[in-house]
Amino acid sequence: MLAPPKPAVRPANPQFSSGPCAKRPGWTIEALKGALVGRSHRSKPGKAKLEQVISLSKEILGIPADYRVGIVPASDTGAVEMALWSLLGARGVDMLAWESFGKDWVTDVVKQLKLQDVRSLTAGYGALPDLAQVDFSRDVVFTWNGTTSGVRVPNGDWIADDREGLTICDATSATFAMDLPWQKLDVVTWSWQKVLGGEAAHGMLVLSPRAVARLESYKPAWPLPKIFRMTKDGKVVEGIFKGETINTPSMIAVEDAIDGLTWAKSVGGLEGLVARSESNLKAVADWVAKTDWVDFLPVDPATRSCTSICLKIVDPAVTALPAEAQAEVAKKLTGLLEKEGVALDAASYRDAPPGIRIWGGATVENADIQALLPWLDWAFAQVKPA
């Protein structure tokens, strides 16, 4: 078979990184001109900006009115760590992991917090653990979307409404691209740098009334650093959820977050954002269906992520090679895409099986996904072993 010709059309935006992700269409540095640089985040206008991020997030995502939403330090990682260190230990915990970050949370709970009553329900890259085995009399920690495996939970039907424990969900690559069932979730975290293309280092933390009750009734056996403390004298610090951040945020990043949220409303809010991301997944799925050298890493189509779209090379000329040689083929392929300027940062995560990872979140234009796909065919033909 003849190798495909070099495509004539390039993506207008070659940024397919899974974080920090592409800025919203049309973004320029002018979007930051209203940033309160040189002003205190505790000033009246500074606090108003922070409150605006919180209120817009709640509005667009449809978060229940009695849930608290706060801006916290250290991106999604900081938000998850705050939840784990502040809430766990009151009862047994089920840890679900099927990719790198879920495994990191298991390590924290077992080796750092050193909790004894821990069940780890795990699966390899491409699959989910058996969700029917989850015990909701215990606390449950999981990622909604596995950023490094491209595997998401298909829905929230498996989560018990009458649960006794808390559900703690790392939703950093799902929020604003997937419809989360808030009443099923007690703690949800994400970062600005994912679906809306914001800047890194700031996290969002959502607490249900049940999670707040846990904070106010349970004191962990270990000391908590300042940036993890959400209570004072046995009561939740309400200011955290009204724009009074624990430490100093970047007001430039805050302005950028407001810009992304404003754009999100302009494209139809959550419904529009989900539709944009799902259309990107469909474009890739249609291409994979007619392409014999590549397949999705997720085994079950119902679990395919519409944000972190993970692909594996299945051509026999590659799969017959030793693992290191297979990885080298994938490295050459993504390196060629970067050299041509058509797909930047499209390699699989370092701990994941070698392949291609295409960010399909809401800020990525479908036309750019469509333009990229012929380049994947061309690049593979260049690096395929003879």
Side-chain angles (χ1 to χ4, degrees), residues 125-127 148-152 277-315 348 353-360 369 373 376:
Y125 280 89
T148 67
S149 69
V151 174
R152 60 175 164 179
S277 196
E278 290 289 351
S279 72
N280 288 339
L281 172 60
K282 184 179 185 303
V284 177
D286 289 347
W287 170 74
V288 168
K290 62 183 182 182
T291 305
D292 58 7
W293 65 267
V294 71
D295 201 356
F296 283 94
L297 183 58
V299 176
D300 181 357
T303 68
R304 292 173 183 165
S305 170
C306 63
T307 56
S308 53
I309 303 171
C310 294
L311 305 172
K312 59 185 178 182
I313 299 173
V314 296
D315 189 281
S348 297
I356 306 164
R357 183 170 61 159
I358 303 167
W359 183 255
I369 293 281
L373 299 174
L376 298 180

Side-chain angles (χ1 to χ4, degrees), residues 66-90:
D66 59 350
Y67 279 48
R68 289 163 172 84
V69 180
I71 299 168
V72 300
S75 196
D76 177 67
T77 300
V80 174
E81 297 286 15
M82 286 179 73
L84 299 184
W85 286 74
S86 300
L87 294 167
L88 295 186

Side-chain angles (χ1 to χ4, degrees), residues 148-318:
T148 67
S149 69
V151 174
R152 60 175 164 179
V153 292
N155 52 55
D157 295 349
W158 56 283
I159 301 173
D161 291 322
D162 60 349
R163 59 192 179 277
E164 297 173 33
L166 300 178
T167 49
I168 300 175
C169 177
D170 173 357
T172 193
S173 57
T175 314
F176 295 108
M178 303 174 198
D179 198 359
L180 301 178
W182 293 100
Q183 299 292 353
K184 300 269 191 178
L185 305 172
D186 294 302
V187 180
V188 179
T189 68
W190 71 90
S191 68
W192 296 350
Q193 69 194 39
K194 292 294 185 180
V195 176
L196 295 187
E199 293 306 297
H202 300 78
M204 299 295 290
L205 177 68
V206 178
L207 301 178
S208 74
R210 300 177 73 249
V212 172
R214 170 74 65 82
L215 280 174
E216 295 184 337
S217 63
Y218 165 69
K219 184 176 180 180
W222 43 84
L224 291 177
K226 177 183 176 180
I227 62 170
F228 286 2
R229 295 176 204 153
M230 292 184 278
T231 60
K232 184 177 182 179
D233 299 327
K235 293 294 183 180
V236 71
V237 179
E238 294 289 357
I240 295 173
F241 308 99
K242 297 177 180 178
E244 297 173 11
T245 54
I246 294 173
N247 71 338
T248 306
S250 161
M251 298 310 292
I252 293 177
V254 168
E255 193 68 25
D256 193 55
I258 293 171
D259 176 74
L261 290 160
T262 303
W263 170 79
K265 290 187 67 174
S266 77
V267 296
L270 182 61
E271 184 178 355
L273 296 169
V274 170
R276 287 175 64 89
S277 196
E278 290 289 351
S279 72
N280 288 339
L281 172 60
K282 184 179 185 303
V284 177
D286 289 347
W287 170 74
V288 168
K290 62 183 182 182
T291 305
D292 58 7
W293 65 267
V294 71
D295 201 356
F296 283 94
L297 183 58
V299 176
D300 181 357
T303 68
R304 292 173 183 165
S305 170
C306 63
T307 56
S308 53
I309 303 171
C310 294
L311 305 172
K312 59 185 178 182
I313 299 173
V314 296
D315 189 281
V318 176

